[in-house]
């Protein structure tokens, strides 16, 4: 099971139930482009694959054609546009390869083996370098017309072009913390993030625990925007459960609880209270686990790599 994201690459071996036996994680420098990521994947797969490896599942951070494995584009890393993941890895290892959007794959992981395993309709959001969404019905990924998926991060929050991703992604929180540091050079964020040039969102929880006023402001605003965006999804999809994953979900239950509370203000009255919201149970392994499940599901259907 492989996760190809904007800031990390994860490769795991395991079974079709999503149980991970071994895993490898690499930090990605987006400036190095897709070629560097492909080199790491090739190197790792050659080392860990053997004759018992039956199939490969991939969760890719961007829109792609899940039927033939061709990437439409990555919004974070150059060099993936029109690249065919199935053909590339299928020719490398001569085994079936199945690819899908990373949020779809994470949604599958959470629905089958994580926070959503007791629910029928599960909406998943990944709050990482970008904001993605996946929806499962009966433990299967819902697919729209190719290449359209639940790109909930690109829902516009106003007519000027503000998107959910532009205000609620990890990179968006990074930007807001940098702005806070510039305005308050002696503040808590400045001390916590000293020497950092990216990834400042990792300090949000620590600052919240310290009751820092700037952290509270950023957190409250982010939750409100996320609640507003999710209200649109609830009005259309009516999921049984919403799962929040990605790096920002590591803040914990306070994130899910705050978003759920705020979301009710944006729902039409008959839909209140909205569906429960939980943080990811699989955490950073949601995509690799989901990719293993994807490979197991599709390979058992007798599908072959195109």
């Amino acid at each position: 099971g492989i996760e190809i994201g904007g800031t990390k690459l994860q490769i795991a071996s395991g079974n079709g139930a999503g149980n991970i036996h071994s895993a490898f994680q690499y930090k990605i420098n987006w400036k190095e482009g897709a070629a560097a990521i492909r080199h790491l994947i090739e190197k790792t797969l050659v080392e860990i694959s053997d004759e018992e490896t039956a199939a490969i599942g991939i969760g890719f951070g961007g829109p792609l054609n899940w039927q033939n494995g061709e990437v439409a584009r990555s919004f974070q890393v150059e060099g993936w546009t029109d690249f065919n993941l199935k053909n590339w890895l299928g020719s490398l290892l001569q085994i079936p390869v199945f690819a899908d959007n990373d949020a779809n794959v994470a949604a599958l992981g959470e629905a089958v083996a994580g926070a959503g395993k007791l629910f029928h309709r599960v909406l998943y959001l990944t709050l990482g370098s970008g904001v993605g969404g996946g929806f499962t019905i009966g433990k299967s990924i819902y697919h729209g017309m190719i290449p359209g998926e639940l790109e909930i991060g690109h829902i516009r929050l106003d007519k000027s072009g503000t998107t959910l991703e532009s205000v609620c992604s990890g990179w968006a929180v990074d930007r807001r913390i940098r702005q806070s540091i510039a305005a308050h050079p002696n503040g808590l964020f400045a001390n916590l993030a000293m020497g950092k040039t990216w990834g400042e969102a990792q300090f949000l929880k620590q600052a919240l625990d310290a009751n820092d006023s700037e952290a509270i402001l950023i957190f409250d605003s982010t939750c409100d925007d996320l609640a507003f965006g999710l209200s649109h999804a609830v009005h259309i999809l009516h999921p049984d459960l919403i799962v929040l994953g990605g790096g920002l979900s590591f803040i914990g239950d306070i994130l899910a609880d705050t978003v759920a509370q705020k979301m009710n203000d944006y729902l039409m009255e008959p839909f209140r209270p909205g569906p429960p919201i939980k943080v990811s149970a699989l955490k950073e392994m949601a995509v690799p686990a989901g990719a293993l499940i994807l490979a197991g599901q599709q390979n058992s259907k007798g599908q072959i790599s195109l």
Side-chain angles (χ1 to χ4, degrees):
I2 303 174
E3 173 183 8
I4 303 173
T7 56
K8 69 178 177 181
L9 166 69
Q10 295 197 102
I11 302 174
S13 63
N15 62 28
N19 298 311
I20 294 173
H21 300 155
S22 63
F24 302 83
Q25 185 179 98
Y26 305 96
K27 289 184 177 180
I28 295 301
N29 182 350
W30 61 270
K31 296 179 182 178
E32 295 179 353
I37 299 174
R38 290 196 288 269
H39 175 73
L40 279 174
I41 293 173
E42 289 180 356
K43 180 177 180 293
T44 305
L45 288 183
V46 168
E47 292 176 358
I48 68 173
S49 61
D50 54 35
E51 65 278 0
E52 294 184 354
T53 305
I56 295 174
I58 303 171
F60 181 80
L64 79 163
N65 184 321
W66 63 274
Q67 292 181 330
N68 67 15
E70 186 169 287
V71 173
R73 65 165 296 182
S74 165
F75 294 102
Q76 283 83 38
V77 180
E78 294 292 334
W80 285 115
T81 301
D82 298 330
F83 186 85
N84 195 297
L85 291 168
K86 280 191 173 186
N87 291 346
W88 166 53
L89 285 181
S91 63
L92 179 67
L93 295 181
Q94 302 300 313
I95 58 176
V97 177
F98 308 97
D100 214 316
N101 174 265
D102 61 345
N104 281 346
V105 171
L108 182 63
E110 289 292 339
V112 173
K117 59 186 176 182
L118 298 180
F119 297 83
H120 183 67
R121 291 168 290 262
V122 178
L123 173 64
Y124 175 88
L125 262 73
T126 178
L127 305 169
S129 50
V131 173
F135 189 52
T136 62
I137 303 174
K139 314 305 179 189
S140 295
I141 295 171
Y142 166 81
H143 288 107
M145 184 179 69
I146 292 172
E149 302 295 350
L150 266 71
E151 289 290 350
I152 192 170
H154 295 272
I155 284 179
R156 295 198 174 193
L157 303 183
D158 57 43
K159 290 185 178 181
S160 67
T162 302
T163 64
L164 189 63
E165 181 170 287
S166 71
V167 292
C168 293
S169 67
W171 285 6
V173 174
D174 288 347
R175 183 177 64 252
R176 292 198 63 182
I177 292 177
R178 286 196 292 270
Q179 291 170 347
S180 174
I181 291 172
H184 306 280
N186 296 317
L188 180 58
F189 276 132
N191 291 327
L192 292 174
M194 189 175 299
K196 292 283 291 184
T197 58
W198 63 278
E200 295 88 350
Q202 66 184 286
F203 302 112
L204 181 57
K205 185 178 188 307
Q206 189 174 348
L208 283 172
D209 291 341
N211 204 33
D212 179 75
S213 59
E214 284 292 299
I216 293 171
L217 182 65
I218 292 172
F219 177 74
D220 190 71
S221 176
T222 302
C223 287
D224 191 63
D225 287 332
L226 184 54
F228 183 52
L230 279 172
S231 71
H232 304 320
V234 170
H235 282 131
I236 296 170
L237 298 173
H238 305 285
D240 300 312
L241 175 72
I242 297 173
V243 179
L244 303 179
L248 285 183
S249 72
F250 297 167
I251 292 173
D253 291 338
I254 187 175
L255 175 67
D257 294 343
T258 303
V259 173
Q261 181 181 8
K262 289 180 177 293
M263 187 175 66
N264 279 331
D265 294 336
Y266 301 119
L267 294 176
M268 62 184 294
E269 187 174 354
F271 297 160
R272 301 175 192 163
I277 301 179
K278 295 184 179 183
V279 294
S280 167
L282 299 177
K283 299 187 183 300
E284 70 274 8
M285 302 312 293
V287 178
L292 291 170
I293 295 166
L294 175 70
Q297 286 185 349
Q298 297 302 315
N299 201 42
S300 67
K301 294 177 181 178
Q303 298 189 28
I304 60 172
S305 176
L306 299 179

